[in-house]
Amino acid sequence: MQEHKKNIIGGLNKLFDHRVRLGIMAMLLVSERVDFNQLKAQLGITDGRLAGHIKALEEAKYIEALKQFIGKRPNTSYHVTGAGREAFKEHLDALERLLTLRDNLPPREGD
Amino acid sequence: MQEHKKNIIGGLNKLFDHRVRLGIMAMLLVSERVDFNQLKAQLGITDGRLAGHIKALEEAKYIEALKQFIGKRPNTSYHVTGAGREAFKEHLDALERLLTLRDNLPPREGD
DNA sequence: AAAAAGTACTTTGAATGGCAAAGTACGCAA
DNA sequence: TTGCGTACTTTGCCATTCAAAGTACTTTTT
């Protein structure tokens, strides 16, 4: 356990500060291969935006693309790398540490 | 249960897409009153930056300030509102739904 | 053959967000 | 009176994010 953190948010990964990137990672951790159009549909964003976020994750080596043809059509699918899996796990662990400052929301009185 | 969401990230709150804001909320849910300098110390950021993030949360009515004097010195402490508590809970629920697409990281083979 | 549509992008340009550093206002302490 | 602590705001810059349009290639439709 590496507890050399100077602050409580130090373990959080900047790349995962964004919902779209969070969504991409979650999807890729469930189904090890998800293609461009599935991501686009599930996330409900434009292809340009999706391409940008994918690029960021690819540059961090958290995900990789596989380009192939399915029948006659081009198809690009993505999968998470070992590094991506690890980075995401670390992020979630940090998040959990942050949140189990609070374990359960107390019923709270007058506000 | 309101399941009228068109995409998997729709329940996530934009305001909580940021680690600092996430940290502030977590702290305020643990200790119902936390002052400016405690936040600053725990988050490890400058006062200007902290003030900005606090302002965003105040404008959303997720937190409120209490200004008083402790002894001779001014002291501003913050507490989370009912709306803030609810919004944060919703965000965490959405996050959990997103992540329990994946429940446990499977041991995964060749990469 | 020409037009439309699909796939997976890139580019553009504008808006928004994030930052450190400096400045401010107040009272208190030396 | 000079400086310190508290809690900001302002400034000016840089990075990020976005929708929309453009691109290149292929397939499908007409």
Side-chain angles (χ1 to χ4, degrees):
Chain A
M1 50 189 83
Q2 67 293 11
E3 298 305 315
H4 45 65
K5 295 291 156 44
K6 35 194 159 310
N7 65 57
I8 61 172
I9 54 174
L12 297 174
N13 189 325
K14 260 189 194 171
L15 255 182
F16 302 139
D17 258 3
H18 198 286
R19 39 237 280 280
V20 169
R21 256 123 45 192
L22 226 42
I24 293 170
M25 291 303 288
M27 286 186 68
L28 294 188
L29 285 169
V30 182
S31 326
E32 75 277 31
R33 286 203 178 280
V34 184
D35 70 34
F36 194 87
N37 281 324
Q38 289 172 330
L39 287 170
K40 194 173 78 164
Q42 292 291 297
L43 296 168
I45 61 177
T46 61
D47 52 357
R49 238 180 108 190
L50 176 56
H53 288 297
I54 283 174
K55 197 176 169 189
L57 293 172
E58 277 184 312
E59 276 168 7
K61 310 263 186 185
Y62 290 170
I63 68 174
E64 279 172 1
L66 173 73
K67 285 154 190 283
Q68 55 183 4
F69 277 81
I70 289 183
K72 308 295 186 62
R73 318 179 151 283
N75 178 274
T76 305
S77 63
Y78 300 91
H79 70 106
V80 64
T81 64
R85 209 176 287 268
E86 209 175 308
F88 197 64
K89 184 178 185 323
E90 265 169 43
H91 180 77
L92 294 186
D93 286 350
L95 197 58
E96 205 177 308
R97 280 199 300 279
L98 179 63
L99 294 174
T100 48
L101 294 181
R102 94 170 228 299
D103 249 333
N104 48 347
L105 306 176
R108 140 236 95 90
E109 71 287 33
D111 199 313
Chain B
M1 49 189 83
Q2 67 295 10
E3 298 304 318
H4 44 67
K5 294 292 157 42
K6 36 195 158 309
N7 64 59
I8 60 172
I9 54 175
L12 297 174
N13 190 323
K14 257 189 194 171
L15 255 180
F16 302 139
D17 257 3
H18 199 286
R19 38 238 280 281
V20 169
R21 257 122 46 189
L22 225 42
I24 292 170
M25 291 304 288
M27 286 186 69
L28 293 189
L29 285 169
V30 182
S31 327
E32 75 277 33
R33 285 202 180 281
V34 184
D35 70 34
F36 193 88
N37 282 324
Q38 289 171 328
L39 286 170
K40 194 172 77 163
Q42 292 291 297
L43 296 168
I45 59 178
T46 62
D47 53 357
R49 235 179 111 190
L50 177 57
H53 289 297
I54 283 174
K55 197 178 172 188
L57 293 171
E58 277 184 313
E59 278 169 6
K61 311 264 187 186
Y62 290 170
I63 69 175
E64 278 172 1
L66 173 72
K67 284 151 190 287
Q68 55 182 6
F69 278 79
I70 289 184
K72 308 295 186 63
R73 316 178 152 285
N75 178 274
T76 304
S77 62
Y78 300 91
H79 71 104
V80 64
T81 64
R85 208 176 288 268
E86 209 175 308
F88 197 64
K89 185 179 183 324
E90 265 170 41
H91 179 78
L92 294 185
D93 287 350
L95 197 57
E96 206 178 306
R97 280 198 300 279
L98 179 62
L99 295 173
T100 49
L101 295 181
R102 94 172 229 301
D103 250 332
N104 47 350
L105 306 176
R108 140 239 96 91
E109 71 291 26
D111 203 309

